[in-house]
Amino acid sequence: MVGSLPLPSFCRRLTRIAALVLFACAAMAPSPWDARAIDAPAVADSADGTAFFYGGRGVVWDMPEAARAAEFTLEDIAEAGVTVVRVSATRWLAPGGDRHAARVLARADSLDISVAADLPLAYRSADQISAATDTLGAALDRLAAIARRHDALAAVGLGRALDTASPDMCPVLSSLAAEVEGRMPALSLYYVTPFRAASDRCASTVDGVLLDVRGLEDPLERWRQWTERSDGPVAIAAAGAWVDPDAPSGLSVPHSAERQARALESMLTGWIPAIVDPLVAAATQRPATGETAGGDRAGPTVFVFRWADTESPLGRRYGLWTASSEARPAASVVRGIYRGEQRVFAFPSGEPPGAEAPWAVLFGWFILIGMAALYARRPLFRRALGRYFMAHGFYRDSVREGRDTVPVVNWIWLLAVGVATGVVAAVIMEVLAPSMIAERLVEALNAGLDHRVGTVITAPLTTGAFTAGIVVALLLVWSVIIGLTVRSWTALRSDQVLMLVAWPCWPALVWMGVALVTVSTETAGDPEAAGLLAAFSVLTAILSTVRVLRDVKAVTQMPGAVATLLALFSPAAVIAAFLAVGWAQADLPLDLLIHLMSQT
């Protein structure tokens, strides 16, 4: 029989048989695991809705408005080894969005890419989600109709960064999950959370939880903590590191493109098992089913944040690709790991940047040293300062009688208070700027307001200078109002009024010193440090306002009701009113902000 076959034909058949045997052996054998890979849980049966959370190799994708452009981008995404994308369903839920969805999902299905769609609910409290659930019916019906026509839609996200640290959110989220599941029973349900496992209360309301691990020092440890405490599956919603577009290249440069690539390499090799045999890698099935040819362990579904750059008020760029379609080194990392072709990458180290001059710190210490020199060289200033702190009654008498009011020193004191407040504001912004809470705060704000807040956060020196000028101007205006008001009881000169207004604001100098020490220690990026500094500054501003009005009332003998009315024109009251208006426009729950600052 063998002899009757032509030799080339026989060799080709023998080669095919050998390849099939090798492939079958590889499929039956357990897959080798990289030494750094996590010990992933067994993949669940796809029938229980949890298989979506295992084995996915995904990216967060901001879909182009043009369906044709989205189709071309999907081809590039598939070529990079991506098997699942997470998108916002906002465009699809709008009237007429089903046409865009049909084309995108049809192309995704042809490329064997699964799609997870997030509902447009983010940074909301339980009451806000409850109100939104009552109005989402028609939009959910449209999404359900899309899901019935396209198998590529595998999961629906109920929201991002909801206040799941509050127990009040859980029944509301359960109600929303029931609405979605009633319309789309075949899809997996999840929500995206930045909270720690010990703080999040609502994991049981969905099929699985997706973690936003951006900005964490150890994202793998956050995932391990969640898997230990949660009964359901836990996957990764956003893994990434941001790039400063103006940063030079090199691993030694903070927020460089190479730093981003190294961070993704570390994270992905920890979550995604290594597949040594290329036949096994090529035979990997769509991750939405949770099945791999190499065995029953696939690791968690991971979404890299994000495929391409989008506009950011903070100037942060997360994309594997720039907005001009230029690949960053991280694109090669993701492609190599997702396709099972490469797990170790080399990048140039570059030159570490030189230290920037800490102008806010230097200016703050200059003010403190200047006030100390003034105290040493002006005996009248020393005497007035001693009376203010050691014999406050005598201080009030001297102001009432116009003795030792030190006019020049009062103006210097006023300017020092304004500058000190500006330095504190600049330090708060400098500490807050690198943190994730700054990014989440900006993400939670309405369009337009997010850019204004982003500018305030990313330009600490400008913010400090503006704050200093505003405080000095408000104190001067308040002094004029007080001087005109008290004429009915006691006539005071401008230097007397200025002394009554400026001197009780001395805590600003103390908090400037605290701020200078804070920024000199390892607190950059610590939102709790920035929050505490801001809270104590606000408290002392209120106490200073009370002390000013008490001194004015004692010196002029004006009625208490008039003093209370004057409080409405104080800098603290004016700034508080301005912030209250801005907060009302932001529509951001205070409890959620506190939870984001303290429990993420």
Side-chain angles (χ1 to χ4, degrees), residues 144-201:
I146 294 171
R148 285 192 294 269
R149 292 192 297 267
H150 301 282
D151 294 336
L153 187 57
V156 173
L158 302 186
R160 296 182 297 110
L162 307 179
D163 194 7
T164 49
S166 169
D168 296 336
M169 175 62 71
C170 300
V172 176
L173 210 54
S174 294
S175 176
L176 176 58
E179 292 285 336
V180 177
E181 188 174 12
R183 292 172 170 85
M184 294 166 277
L187 303 190
S188 300
L189 302 183
Y190 64 87
Y191 62 80
V192 177
T193 179
F195 294 112
R196 295 189 292 264
S199 302
D200 198 286
R201 310 286 187 88

Side-chain angles (χ1 to χ4, degrees), residues 212-301:
D212 185 346
V213 296
R214 292 174 297 162
L216 297 181
E217 293 184 4
D218 192 348
L220 273 73
E221 181 59 28
R222 172 66 62 87
W223 180 83
R224 290 190 185 99
Q225 292 172 357
W226 261 91
T227 56
E228 291 172 358
R229 296 181 65 98
S230 177
D231 295 330
V234 180
I236 308 302
W242 60 275
V243 174
D244 182 353
D246 298 325
S249 62
L251 286 173
S252 302
V253 181
H255 301 296
S256 65
E258 288 75 14
R259 278 281 188 94
Q260 178 199 37
R262 181 67 79 210
L264 281 172
E265 176 190 352
S266 176
M267 285 185 278
L268 295 181
T269 53
W271 278 311
I272 298 177
I275 302 177
V276 177
D277 194 325
L279 290 175
V280 177
T284 302
Q285 302 299 316
R286 177 189 289 194
T289 66
E291 300 170 357
T292 61
D296 63 347
R297 292 183 175 186
T301 291

